[in-house]
Amino acid sequence: MARAYDVDEVERKWQRHWAEEGTYEIDNDDPREKFYALCMYPYPSGPAHQGHVRNYTFGDLVVRYQTMLGKGVLSPIGFDSFGLPAENAAIKTGTHPRVFTDARIDELRASLTRLGAVYDWRREVHSHEPAYIKWTQLIFLRLWEAGLAYRAMAPVNWCPGCQTVLANEQVLGDGTCDRSGDVVERRDLEQWFFRITTYADELLYALDDLEWPERAKVMQRNWIGRSEGAEFDLQVEGRPDLSVRVFTTRPDTSFGMTYAVIAPEHPLVDELTTDAQRSAVEELRRRAAEETEIERMAEGDPSALDKRGAFTGSRVVNPFTGDPVPVYVADYVLMGYGTGAIMAVPAEDERDWAFATLHGLPIVRTVQPPGDWDANGGGAYTGDGVKINSDFLDGLDIVTAKARATEWLEERGLGERKVNYRLRDWLVSRQRFWGCPIPAVYCDEHGVVPVPEDQLPIVAPDDVEFLPTGQSPLSFHEGFLHTTCPVCGGPARRETDTMDTFVDSSWYFLRFCDPWSTDRPFDPEAARHFMPVDQYIGGIEHAILHLLYARFFTRALIDVGLAPGVDREPFKHYLAQGMIRMDGTKMSKSKGNLIAPEHYFDTVGADALRLFHLFAGPPFDDMDWSEQTEQVIEGCGRFLDRLWRTCLSEPDLRTGEQTDEDGAVRRAVHRTVADVTKDLERWSYNTAVAHCMELLNTVQRYARGSDGNGNTAGVHADVWNEGLNALLSLLAPLSPHVTAELWERRHPGEPSVHLQSWPTPDPELVRQETVTMVVQVNGKVRDRIEVDAGISEADAQEVALASAKVIEALDGATPTRIVSRPPRLVNIVV
RNA sequence: GCCCGGAUGGCGGAAUGGCAGACGCGGCGGCCUCAAAAGCCGCUGUCCGAAAGGGCGUGCGGGUUCGAGUCCCGCUCCGGGCACCA
């Protein structure tokens, strides 16, 4: 595509200029009102792909726009540089993960620069650098000290193909590994956890005030999964010393409990199992233990599950009725939630209903279902209704009955109100090399002991062997492994596990506020100044994990004293950018290479590619990369060519009095300024581009009229300059290179367009003078009449009724009603 | 199964309850040119009509309203999230 200007030369010139001038560097004591613009820092995977381009184009637009608004914008960037791909590459090729990663960082940094994205590069951080590791480890120690980090036995995901433990997020919905496709196994290992559950309620309730996309908030709410109910003891029949505690969200249904269930892993299974039942129970437990996720899923959908279970031989007493009911062991009850035991009420719970019918257990309804319920298939009824068969609860609605039943338990000291969460503590141990080492040592005498802070950072040695053994290479490195106990000085062994990389990304935005700090993770004053992030941009795939962890971490850092006074919510606005798809699927790497941004930087240039990403559709929507995409990108290049030619054209300019056409063009200019400003404020980037295109069309038509073939009075110098200046300003955050170049050529020696103030529209000119008034008869448009924008209701009606087209449409009928919305519309109803 | 989104020309997409289809892509026609490319101008929802003009039209069926792409109720299809959490 032949271009109107040397795109490559212009873009490189300005990229160099911004870097040399330090235009977007900001000091911590900057006096301007702050604005913190942040894109999720990327995992360095090599040159940018189109997903990056989209993300960082949105972010850069915000940085430049807010700067022109006069804010002191903090625009940092860094790299999420720990992670499995680098370690896998090391196993495969022998290259050290750091060498591999540093090379990928250089590539991605170069891509971002070519995109024209601007940052305060002095603040760049890499999560694998000792200067960052040190503080991640210190934070770990402080959380440990505060009881927010602890060690416990836990089942973990083990991938036999990768020979390593996986993070939960690396296990797909069907229980397979997202890299190798192998079925993930469960293993019990002692692991490190962060006590995120302490903050469950706060993390839940604070969501209400966040300006986030609703679906992201809903995902977090579901993930936290708060449920209110009651917990109480079921006395084991004939065993006054033994009871089973259960949790229920439906204490109102207690009179309908016809059996109880405990999880196969429940500690009381052995005690409750009679000799006669032992072999059946053992068989069930064995199967449950061996069972993998995928095998359980294969049983079918939950509603039709074979509710496998075995009778223990014991009975417990229903405290409400005094009746004994049988206790079963069944794998549909999970040890990890609630108490690992339930009262089963088949009439009001679908799972219990399925189990009860399969095992021939009685069913007692305690809520009156609708009259046609059983006729329409029946089953468990979980809706609202009147309580029945429930003694003192009879006649009540469910909400009242729940409260009454809970009170009844509390009065008798049998149980109490209880809130449970689906959210579990965050398992942070990883049996990997390429992550932040956990700063702990094991001493035979003193157990697990924290590494003293003055010994940080603990950095992994370079001379390790990368083998797919399923253990961190650190555990074979004698020099690293052996140390001394900080308490007694005796021989001790280092922790060889590293931290989940989500730990690194849970506080990087705080480090950005003060990346130079050498005596603490960051200066709280700097964090107080810049936090919270005013605009956070990144993929919705991080809606739960990263965003939840970061919200937890910010609170935890405040509470352990590392960030006093900092806002407890790190991200005020979150723009969840949509994914780029090809053929309806998420982009694969091989396909992604075909549309590599570098190719477009070389051909149409970064400005046109940016404009395309902004123009293609709403930023939160997924985008299909199709055959047509190429042509749309070229269209964006054509637009910039026209901009170039128009800005540098030299029509004959006149001065003096302005004509009506001059006035019309001026009004178009000011309306565009108003429209684009509004669009940028509401993230409607595609319409902002459209409005700029419209204005260029208007200005071009205006100029062309003066070429001799139009019927205008020619181009007025003031109108011409006002129009082009506004257009270049409005486009500056969108296509920064070409606008900077054109501005410089039109205003030699003056400050760059990027240092100009964002234009403000003249309200007088934004207001329309005349408006096309629509006249409807019975809601159908019959005429369009140009009227004064300030027309009165009476005049509007008069004009409407005088219209020949309206008279014809009325055909002599008398209006029964006239709805007037001057100056836009009059609707005549007959 | 449950919970969110979404459905508008050939395509991407615009439209505070008030002119549906802005802007762009593609297509058609024209100008320029020896010719092509580039550029420029015009047309481009659909049906009827030579035209003027008119009918119909925002997934489907109802409703509210003077007026519905927009609000309400009931579906269909597509996308996403969660799926034995008691």
Side-chain angles (χ1 to χ4, degrees):
Chain A
M1 176 176 179
R3 296 297 299 268
Y5 63 104
D6 189 332
V7 173
D8 199 52
E9 187 186 309
V10 167
E11 296 190 347
R12 288 188 190 278
K13 167 184 166 182
W14 288 99
Q15 284 157 17
R16 215 178 307 121
H17 176 88
W18 297 319
E20 285 167 4
E21 299 288 306
T23 313
Y24 293 89
E25 292 176 358
I26 183 173
D27 294 330
N28 286 1
D29 59 358
D30 190 287
R32 293 171 293 180
E33 182 190 345
K34 72 96 182 179
F35 190 95
Y36 191 171
L38 186 65
C39 291
M40 291 177 183
Y41 78 154
Y43 178 79
S45 51
H49 54 66
Q50 293 292 352
H52 289 124
V53 169
R54 198 170 186 219
N55 196 171
Y56 297 101
T57 294
F58 296 153
D60 193 55
L61 183 155
V62 171
V63 170
R64 293 175 182 275
Y65 170 62
Q66 292 293 336
T67 300
M68 289 176 78
L69 284 177
K71 308 272 181 66
V73 178
L74 174 60
S75 171
I77 186 79
F79 298 92
D80 187 13
S81 49
F82 273 135
L84 201 54
E87 190 165 347
N88 286 348
I91 293 169
K92 218 168 167 180
T93 67
T95 313
H96 191 281
R98 193 184 50 250
V99 174
F100 178 87
T101 300
D102 286 344
R104 299 293 84 75
I105 288 175
D106 288 343
E107 289 165 347
L108 187 47
R109 193 196 291 110
S111 287
L112 294 175
T113 301
R114 284 200 78 184
L115 179 63
V118 283
Y119 303 100
D120 183 347
W121 285 103
R122 301 172 307 168
R123 296 176 186 260
E124 177 179 357
V125 305
H126 302 167
S127 31
H128 76 283
E129 289 172 344
Y132 192 81
I133 288 176
K134 177 173 179 179
W135 303 119
T136 304
Q137 289 171 339
L138 178 121
I139 290 167
F140 184 98
L141 294 177
R142 294 292 170 85
L143 295 184
W144 186 0
E145 203 175 275
L148 290 170
Y150 64 93
R151 239 174 109 70
M153 202 69 171
V156 297
N157 306 298
W158 171 263
C159 174
C162 302
Q163 285 283 296
T164 182
V165 163
L166 299 178
N168 285 329
E169 62 273 13
Q170 290 174 311
V171 181
L172 301 179
D174 63 358
T176 59
C177 169
D178 73 342
R179 305 193 73 85
S180 70
D182 290 292
V183 174
V184 171
E185 296 167 10
R186 281 183 303 180
R187 289 192 178 182
D188 287 321
L189 293 170
E190 196 149 276
Q191 305 284 304
W192 286 97
F193 290 86
F194 285 157
R195 214 179 288 280
I196 189 172
T197 52
T198 305
Y199 292 88
D201 267 339
E202 192 190 340
L203 290 170
L204 177 68
Y205 294 131
L207 282 172
D208 295 341
D209 300 324
L210 294 182
E211 291 167 73
W212 284 18
E214 198 51 38
R215 61 181 169 141
K217 294 205 241 182
V218 167
M219 280 192 235
Q220 290 214 351
R221 283 193 193 104
N222 291 343
W223 188 262
I224 294 167
R226 182 182 202 275
S227 54
E228 287 182 28
E231 224 177 74
F232 58 95
D233 291 318
L234 299 175
Q235 198 61 47
V236 179
E237 192 183 40
R239 291 287 303 273
D241 59 315
L242 204 60
S243 63
V244 179
R245 198 157 182 86
V246 294
F247 171 72
T248 178
T249 55
R250 292 292 304 275
D252 64 293
T253 63
S254 301
F255 285 93
M257 165 167 65
T258 54
Y259 63 98
V261 186
I262 59 176
E265 304 85 7
H266 197 284
L268 293 181
V269 169
D270 278 336
E271 276 223 66
L272 291 172
T273 303
T274 59
D275 290 341
Q277 299 299 321
R278 194 157 305 274
S279 64
V281 169
E282 285 304 323
E283 166 68 11
L284 184 98
R285 289 179 81 181
R286 199 181 50 76
R287 277 176 64 188
E290 282 178 359
E291 196 113 277
T292 62
E293 283 294 311
I294 198 164
E295 283 160 345
R296 281 172 67 180
M297 304 293 289
E299 302 292 332
D301 70 290
S303 59
L305 268 185
D306 167 18
K307 297 286 176 193
R308 287 154 307 159
F311 179 44
T312 58
S314 295
R315 286 170 214 282
V316 290
V317 177
N318 180 341
F320 287 83
T321 61
D323 297 334
V325 296
V327 178
Y328 279 73
V329 176
D331 62 2
Y332 79 95
V333 170
L334 311 173
M335 194 57 223
Y337 185 79
T339 59
I342 62 161
M343 68 167 192
V345 186
E348 279 93 31
D349 184 285
E350 282 163 21
R351 297 153 300 184
D352 295 345
W353 178 284
F355 189 89
T357 49
L358 204 70
H359 294 265
L361 291 156
I363 296 169
V364 179
R365 290 207 185 274
T366 74
V367 179
Q368 183 62 57
D372 59 353
W373 184 255
D374 285 313
N376 289 333
Y381 176 69
T382 55
D384 204 354
V386 174
K387 300 301 302 181
I388 55 173
N389 300 326
S390 298
D391 196 277
F392 65 93
L393 299 177
D394 282 350
L396 299 176
D397 63 275
I398 290 178
V399 173
T400 314
K402 274 185 191 175
R404 197 66 59 79
T406 308
E407 281 164 27
W408 188 91
L409 287 167
E410 285 175 342
E411 282 161 12
R412 281 154 188 76
L414 298 169
E416 62 273 321
R417 204 185 94 88
K418 171 84 182 179
V419 177
N420 260 316
Y421 302 89
R422 218 185 75 113
L423 180 71
R424 311 294 162 78
D425 278 337
W426 174 13
L427 194 166
V428 295
S429 311
R430 296 290 181 269
Q431 289 70 45
R432 293 183 197 155
F433 171 78
W434 196 233
C436 181
I438 291 172
V441 301
Y442 298 90
C443 166
D444 288 339
E445 196 73 18
H446 297 94
V448 55
V449 181
V451 171
E453 288 181 12
D454 60 15
Q455 289 179 23
L456 300 183
I458 304 298
V459 179
D462 282 352
D463 56 336
V464 294
E465 264 200 287
F466 296 97
L467 299 166
T469 58
Q471 278 184 302
S472 167
L474 293 177
S475 53
F476 304 107
H477 190 285
E478 298 295 314
F480 178 81
L481 202 55
H482 298 299
T483 184
T484 52
C485 172
V487 179
C488 61
R493 188 173 51 79
R494 278 196 196 282
E495 170 66 85
T496 56
D497 283 355
T498 56
M499 291 183 229
D500 182 358
T501 56
F502 276 107
V503 177
D504 308 313
S505 56
S506 290
W507 74 281
Y508 78 103
F509 46 89
L510 289 160
R511 178 72 180 173
F512 277 152
C513 297
D514 181 30
W516 304 285
S517 180
T518 52
D519 59 346
R520 49 192 167 175
F522 49 86
D523 176 4
E525 194 185 325
R528 277 195 297 273
H529 175 61
F530 287 118
M531 291 295 289
V533 174
D534 296 280
Q535 179 66 68
Y536 199 37
I537 304 175
I540 190 79
E541 66 270 21
H542 295 112
I544 296 175
L545 295 161
H546 163 59
L547 290 173
L548 191 65
Y549 293 151
R551 295 181 64 222
F552 155 61
F553 240 59
T554 303
R555 289 169 167 80
L557 292 185
I558 293 166
D559 293 347
V560 301
L562 288 170
V566 172
D567 198 305
R568 293 177 81 78
E569 274 302 338
F571 314 122
K572 203 166 168 51
H573 293 264
Y574 164 47
L575 170 61
Q577 137 225 359
M579 281 189 319
I580 295 173
R581 305 170 163 279
M582 287 192 83
D583 310 323
T585 56
K586 198 175 165 178
M587 269 203 308
S588 68
K589 199 153 192 157
S590 57
K591 282 175 183 165
N593 288 339
L594 297 176
I595 58 166
E598 299 291 329
H599 163 72
Y600 293 96
F601 293 153
D602 290 340
T603 54
V604 292
D607 281 336
L609 186 61
R610 290 168 62 120
L611 205 61
F612 160 75
H613 277 280
L614 295 168
F615 184 55
F620 0 82
D621 287 358
D622 284 354
M623 175 172 79
D624 273 306
W625 196 278
S626 68
E627 310 265 309
Q628 198 187 237
T629 300
E630 194 83 18
Q631 290 163 331
V632 178
I633 294 172
E634 289 197 358
C636 290
R638 267 201 300 275
F639 168 75
L640 295 178
D641 284 343
R642 282 201 293 136
L643 180 74
W644 180 275
R645 282 193 295 265
T646 305
C647 284
L648 298 183
S649 69
E650 293 175 349
D652 291 331
L653 299 177
R654 71 184 147 75
T655 53
E657 201 137 317
Q658 296 189 0
T659 64
D660 285 352
E661 195 185 354
D662 295 335
V665 172
R666 288 200 72 205
R667 277 193 295 279
V669 169
H670 284 259
R671 216 174 314 121
T672 304
V673 171
D675 286 342
V676 171
T677 305
K678 201 179 79 194
D679 287 344
L680 296 191
E681 293 290 340
R682 66 186 181 124
W683 309 291
S684 184
Y685 304 140
N686 53 330
T687 56
V689 175
H691 282 126
C692 290
M693 288 174 167
E694 253 180 310
L695 181 59
L696 180 60
N697 290 342
T698 301
V699 170
Q700 263 193 307
R701 263 196 303 274
Y702 176 63
R704 200 161 294 122
S706 69
D707 287 343
N709 48 22
N711 51 8
T712 72
V715 177
H716 194 288
D718 294 346
V719 178
W720 179 249
N721 288 324
E722 184 181 42
L724 293 184
N725 289 347
L727 193 51
L728 289 176
S729 295
L730 297 179
L731 283 167
L734 285 64
S735 291
H737 311 85
V738 67
T739 47
E741 180 68 21
L742 287 169
W743 185 274
E744 186 184 59
R745 293 188 185 211
R746 284 179 47 81
H747 306 275
E750 290 179 31
S752 166
V753 66
H754 296 290
L755 300 174
Q756 301 295 318
S757 291
W758 188 252
T760 47
D762 179 346
E764 278 302 303
L765 291 168
V766 171
R767 205 164 43 80
Q768 309 244 31
E769 282 194 330
T770 62
V771 174
T772 308
M773 184 174 78
V774 172
V775 185
Q776 298 177 332
V777 175
N778 287 336
K780 280 189 195 293
V781 178
R782 292 302 170 183
D783 202 3
R784 300 183 169 101
I785 307 169
E786 278 301 304
V787 299
D788 191 277
I791 193 168
S792 71
E793 185 161 341
D795 289 349
Q797 290 194 10
E798 194 178 319
V799 170
L801 289 166
S803 156
K805 287 176 184 168
V806 170
I807 290 166
E808 193 190 327
L810 285 173
D811 197 25
T814 315
T816 56
R817 182 176 174 190
I818 301 177
V819 180
S820 301
R821 291 287 178 276
R824 298 248 166 244
L825 169 132
V826 172
N827 187 13
I828 300 161
V829 186
V830 294

